[in-house]
Amino acid sequence: MKYLILLKYNPEWRAAWIGFSREEQAEMMELYAGFESALRERGEFIDADQLAGAEAAKTVSRTSEGVVATDAPFAELKEYLGGYYLVDVESEARAIEIAGWFPEADRGLVEIVPVMADAPGDA
């Protein structure tokens, strides 16, 4: 079953990251690289990436006048996505276990969403 692990954007986390020394940032990146390697070895890793900030996002609407893109009027910037992991795991429990690894989980900033084709009950 495929799950999208959503890492919410958090301005406090971003500010903390910018305040880290190069060595601290390198240590954090090594942690993430090790985590990804472990997922790859288990055949669970599909894709991951960081997303641009909310200032680069657009809301796209289709109206009678055509498709319109406007700056995204996010209700709460702190709820904007900062990145994602797409994993293929044997169960929802495993997706939760993986999502719990992220430091963002300490702040409740991680969500999982089943990919529709593999969602429970959609066989």
Side-chain angles (χ1 to χ4, degrees), residues 40-118:
R40 285 179 196 274
E41 287 174 15
R42 291 179 58 122
E44 296 173 327
F45 181 87
I46 297 174
D47 193 21
D49 215 330
Q50 183 178 11
L51 301 175
E55 69 280 358
K58 302 288 182 195
T59 295
V60 176
S61 304
R62 185 175 30 244
T63 69
S64 59
E65 298 175 15
V67 176
V68 178
T70 59
D71 289 343
F74 299 109
E76 295 280 345
L77 179 62
K78 65 184 178 187
E79 294 180 0
Y80 188 71
L81 296 178
Y84 70 90
Y85 275 75
L86 181 60
V87 296
D88 189 0
V89 295
E90 62 189 28
S91 66
E92 180 184 73
R94 175 64 179 150
I96 292 169
E97 179 183 341
I98 291 169
W101 175 87
F102 291 93
E104 293 90 338
D106 291 346
R107 298 176 181 89
L109 299 174
V110 181
E111 295 179 357
I112 64 167
V113 181
V115 173
M116 217 36 202
D118 292 338

